[in-house]
Amino acid sequence: MKSIFSDRYTKMLQLLITARKEKSLTQVELALQLKRPQSFVSKYELGERRIDVIEFIMICEAISADPCAIIRQL
């Protein structure tokens, strides 16, 4: 089965995961900051749920990552 996500989208997810782990945040802790269930974080990290640009910015803010820096790495 072909992925619905591009290589760049997959790389963006990896960058978000790396940034979260560098801040020593678990999925549960991030979900609490986002006021979302842990499954929200798990699903987007696994590529089961696509995040929109507003969610991307909110996630970056919650993990203290610069969204522009992540985009530049793509």
Side-chain angles (χ1 to χ4, degrees), residues 9-68:
Y9 187 83
T10 301
K11 180 167 173 111
M12 180 191 71
L13 293 180
Q14 288 303 315
L15 292 168
L16 288 173
I17 293 167
T18 298
R20 174 181 62 77
K21 290 180 177 180
E22 285 175 353
K23 297 295 180 179
S24 299
L25 286 172
T26 66
Q27 288 184 351
V28 172
E29 292 167 331
L30 175 55
L32 287 171
Q33 288 187 32
L34 295 170
K35 295 179 176 56
R36 291 295 198 56
Q38 178 271 333
S39 61
F40 170 81
V41 177
S42 176
K43 286 181 180 182
Y44 84 71
E45 286 189 356
L46 290 171
E48 294 175 4
R49 182 189 187 286
R50 194 169 181 97
I51 57 173
D52 65 28
V53 76
I54 301 303
E55 291 168 331
F56 170 74
I57 292 168
M58 289 172 37
I59 292 164
C60 287
E61 290 173 347
I63 59 177
S64 301
D66 179 4
C68 295

